[in-house]
Each structure stands twice: as structure tokens, then as C-alpha cells.
């Protein structure tokens, strides 16, 4: 568990190291533009936004290769942990016969919709026989409780009739 929390902490450090230069540049440019706007008494919002966007874009261009190296290293470490360390550690991997001895989803696998298990058992025992082909089964059969099927539109009707 310590390994996973350590990797999560490294992810936060990676996130901060990638985003912090852009945030600092945007804040410093915003401060400089704010001071210039206060001095010149020009209070226009687009004047403040454009230099921030351009400066953050230039920061990403200048530090882009560094960001790619940082993120690639983080990805390599994560795949190494996932495929080499965790899979070989007995603390993280279930034994291969785990599902043979236990049924973890047995309560969810019950047939809740159709509770007529006797009819299902007869269907399974007689695979070629349709259950409602006999009159006693036809009387029990009811259609699904949903609305009527919609009528086909004009184009679909012509295709079905071969026109």
C-alpha cells in the first residue's frame, strides 16, 4: 500500500512541476498588466487577458520538451510498477484459484427478473423444445410489459413491401 501512495504523491509532484511554471508566468504577467492598467487608468478586460494567454503559450513552447520528459518518466515508472512490481508481489495479486473457492458475485448473479426457475430448468433439460408450443405454456405466456412497437415510416414500409 505504501508503494501506491508513494506513486500517488509522485503524481502530485509531477502535476505541480508541469503546471506551476505556467501559473507563475500567468500571475506575474497579470500583475504587471494590472499595474500598467492602474497607472494608465485603462480598465479593459481584454488587455489583461491577451498577454496572459500569449505568455502561457510561450512558456509551454519553451518548456514543452521538459514537460514531455517529466510525463514520459512518470508514465514509464507507472507501467513498470503495474507490470513488473505489482504483478510479482504476493501482497497485491490474488491467488490463481481465488474464484474457484469463493463466489464473490454470487448474490448479484441470481435471476431476479424471471423467478420461474422450474420453467427455466425444464427448458434447459429439453433444449430442442419450445416451451410455449404446447397449449398449457401458451396460456401462461404473456408479452413483455412495454409499449407497442412503433409503426415503420413510409420509406421502411416501401422497403418491406418491395416497392
Amino acid at each position: 500500500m505504501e508503494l501506491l501512495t508513494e506513486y500517488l504523491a509522485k503524481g502530485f509532484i509531477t502535476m505541480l512541476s508541469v503546471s506551476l511554471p505556467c501559473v507563475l508566468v500567468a500571475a506575474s504577467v497579470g500583475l504587471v498588466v494590472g499595474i500598467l492598467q492602474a497607472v494608465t487608468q485603462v480598465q479593459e478586460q481584454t488587455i489583461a487577458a491577451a498577454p496572459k494567454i500569449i505568455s502561457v503559450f510561450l512558456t509551454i513552447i519553451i518548456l514543452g520538451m521538459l514537460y514531455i520528459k517529466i510525463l514520459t518518466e512518470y508514465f514509464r515508472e507507472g507501467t513498470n510498477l503495474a507490470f513488473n512490481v505489482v504483478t510479482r508481489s504476493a501482497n497485491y495479486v490474488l491467488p490463481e484459484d481465488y474464484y474457484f473457492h469463493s463466489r464473490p458475485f454470487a448474490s448479484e448473479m441470481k435471476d431476479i427478473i424471471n423467478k420461474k426457475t422450474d420453467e427455466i430448468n425444464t427448458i434447459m433439460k429439453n433444449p430442442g423444445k419450445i416451451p410455449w408450443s404446447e397449449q398449457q405454456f401458451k396460456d401462461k405466456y404473456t408479452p413483455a410489459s412495454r409499449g407497442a412497437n412503433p409503426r415503420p415510416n413510409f420509406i421502411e414500409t416501401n422497403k418491406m413491401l418491395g416497392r
Side-chain angles (χ1 to χ4, degrees):
M1 193 65 181
E2 297 87 22
L3 181 70
L4 298 177
T5 54
E6 181 181 330
Y7 187 68
L8 181 66
K10 182 163 176 61
F12 283 124
I13 300 276
T14 302
M15 179 183 61
L16 287 174
S17 64
V18 168
S19 64
L20 193 62
C22 295
V23 171
L24 290 177
V25 166
S28 61
V29 168
L31 180 66
V32 169
V33 170
I35 291 171
L36 288 175
Q37 280 183 333
V39 169
T40 59
Q41 295 181 353
V42 176
Q43 299 297 325
E44 181 65 31
Q45 294 296 325
T46 56
I47 294 174
K52 286 184 200 177
I53 293 171
I54 292 170
S55 63
V56 169
F57 183 69
L58 289 174
T59 304
I60 292 173
I61 288 175
I62 293 169
L63 298 176
M65 290 308 293
L66 176 66
Y67 292 161
I68 289 173
K69 287 179 184 177
I70 290 171
L71 292 173
T72 304
E73 182 61 33
Y74 182 69
F75 177 75
R76 282 187 185 147
E77 186 177 345
T79 53
N80 181 34
L81 283 173
F83 295 115
N84 295 331
V85 176
V86 174
T87 55
R88 290 188 175 92
S89 176
N91 297 332
Y92 298 107
V93 181
L94 294 173
E96 61 187 34
D97 60 347
Y98 174 75
Y99 291 113
F100 183 74
H101 298 292
S102 67
R103 305 266 321 227
F105 302 109
S107 62
E108 287 91 3
M109 296 174 86
K110 293 179 182 171
D111 191 7
I112 298 171
I113 297 171
N114 190 359
K115 295 183 180 179
K116 301 175 184 177
T117 55
D118 295 334
E119 290 180 15
I120 293 173
N121 289 336
T122 57
I123 291 170
M124 296 302 286
K125 289 178 185 174
N126 305 315
K129 189 176 178 184
I130 300 173
W132 53 81
S133 63
E134 297 176 11
Q135 189 61 36
Q136 63 180 357
F137 291 116
K138 283 184 182 177
D139 295 337
K140 291 181 182 178
Y141 176 72
T142 57
S145 61
R146 60 180 174 152
N149 290 334
R151 290 183 44 86
N153 63 17
F154 181 73
I155 297 171
E156 292 172 340
T157 305
N158 286 340
K159 282 184 181 178
M160 287 190 287
L161 295 176
R163 293 183 198 169

